[in-house]
Amino acid sequence: MTNDNGEQRAPRISVIGTGYLGATHAAAMAEMGFEVIGVDTDPNKVDALSQGIVPFYEPGLPELLRKHVGTGQLRFTTDIEAATAFADVHFVCVGTPQQSTSFAANLSYVEDATRQVAKHLTHDGLIVGKSTVPVGTAARLRGIVHENLPAGVTAELVWNPEFLREGKAVQDTLAPDRLVLGGTTAASEAMLRTVYAEPIANGTPVLVMDLPTAELVKVSANAFLATKISFINAISEVCAAVGADVTLLADALGHDVRIGRQFLNAGLGFGGGCLPKDIRALMHRSSELGAHSASDLLQQVDEINMRQRQLVIDHALAACGGSVLNRRIGVLGAAFKPDTDDVRDSPALNVAAALQLRGAQVTVFDPQATTSAARIFPALGYADSAATAIQGADVVLVLTEWPEFVDADPREFAALVKAQNIVDGRNCLDGQAWAAAGWNVRTIGRAPVQSASAASASQGAYAFA
């Protein structure tokens, strides 16, 4: 790359789509020293980002954004024509949500973004797909690029999937655990190695492969993680039946290096904007391809995951004597996991809404996601603190394992509620400590723990849950 004076310069980067993935990727590329322009069709989002305001919660991202917007290293625009004229490498980071009528991914956004980049190229460029797509998509996008390129301009389309964890996205972009480059030529691989020179120099491995394999890496990784979660939740049912402790079991399993401890936490199950829609898209695509073993497995994974929500609802019903009609329920947690305000397909909100439909008076609090939750479920009650949410409650549900809930003082909470019943939907509380403070504790795949007074009254007769 050369500047107007014929001097060598670093490649310039455009990022198409400035949602969770795109905004993070754009800020991280600027942090790595590149001039970056982010593109979005939403002018309100562009205005916010241009002022250094992140429209969602992600630790570390606001600081990174303000730093590079302030220096001019990072800019945002709605003008894709100007962005493609400016940049040499174009990262496509738009969403691929589930279709409204099937489990298939909606690819209209990624197709349109690719088409717009190709159409407006003024010089040779590299188009890099980062969106999570069904296998076979990239080959079709190459056809779209070919059909829309201006005369005399060449462009290559390759795939470089993302592996971001919400709550740790900045770290995962600046220091990824692997870089997957799919469908590259020698020239495009060299360009991407230039773009990622910093993490590569710091030891990040680079895996070069064909397009279909690269497309499958992200969805397969998500499917495997989802399977681990559903596996331990299925085993928790066995533990409940025999009085075993699924958390201790998971600890023991986790010492096996072939298995590992991560994603072996029994509880309410997975949610969010990635795992549910990605496993369903893979299920749909596998069925289309006749790979029925994969689609059948993922169907079971999905069903087990959804059953966990009903199990928590059943615990709440049991704690209230079989009915939640006109009972006060305090729900702690709305985000699908801590360190994010993402409430897409949140199991916590699904449970809260289901209990409200059964006649309960439900009040929700989340340290970051209360506002996001209220936009999607406006009929639920919301509080500005955990104490307000559980005031006068007949049962408290811990549905997102935020540290402030895990570390809460059970004696302080006891003074606020009407009845000391708590459902630990994430198996994150010290049940013995809560029971010692007078609480009746219900969990997933572990024996419920009664307060001393309740245990005495029932003479120890207490069924495993």
Side-chain angles (χ1 to χ4, degrees), residues 115 118 140-150:
R115 184 179 296 108
R140 189 167 69 257
L141 293 178
R142 281 185 167 176
I144 290 175
V145 171
H146 178 74
E147 293 166 4
N148 287 276
L149 280 176

Side-chain angles (χ1 to χ4, degrees), residues 96-99 102-107 132-135 137 215-216 218-220 222-223 273-289 291 294-295 298-299 302:
T96 53
Q98 185 177 317
Q99 290 185 14
S102 80
F103 282 166
N106 179 351
L107 299 175
T132 303
V133 297
V135 62
T137 301
E215 290 173 300
L216 279 168
K218 173 60 186 295
V219 291
S220 298
N222 278 353
C274 291
L275 259 63
K277 66 102 175 171
D278 286 352
I279 68 166
R280 290 165 189 163
L282 181 55
M283 186 193 315
H284 180 87
R285 185 65 175 137
S286 299
S287 183
E288 285 183 333
L289 295 169
S295 59
L298 294 173
Q299 177 76 26
D302 203 6

Side-chain angles (χ1 to χ4, degrees), residues 42 48 54 59 62 64 66 73 81-82 89 173 188 200 237 243 246 286 290 307 312 374 391 447:
D42 184 346
V54 181
L64 210 60
R66 287 193 295 268
Q73 189 90 354
E81 186 172 354
V89 181
T173 308
S188 57
I200 292 172
E237 188 176 359
V246 72
S286 299
R307 280 203 299 271
V312 172
Q391 188 73 46

Side-chain angles (χ1 to χ4, degrees), residues 318-390:
C320 291
S323 173
V324 294
L325 182 64
N326 293 326
R327 297 296 189 97
R328 278 250 320 123
I329 297 178
V331 172
L332 301 182
F336 82 95
K337 59 176 281 189
D339 292 324
T340 182
D341 63 351
D342 193 344
V343 295
R344 291 174 293 175
D345 199 8
S346 167
L349 283 180
N350 184 269
V351 168
L355 290 169
Q356 185 194 49
L357 289 173
R358 290 173 177 263
Q361 300 171 26
V362 180
T363 305
V364 180
F365 169 71
D366 189 286
Q368 292 294 336
T370 299
T371 301
S372 302
R375 285 197 294 265
I376 297 177
F377 289 92
L380 289 170
Y382 295 94
D384 58 6
S385 69
T388 304
I390 68 171

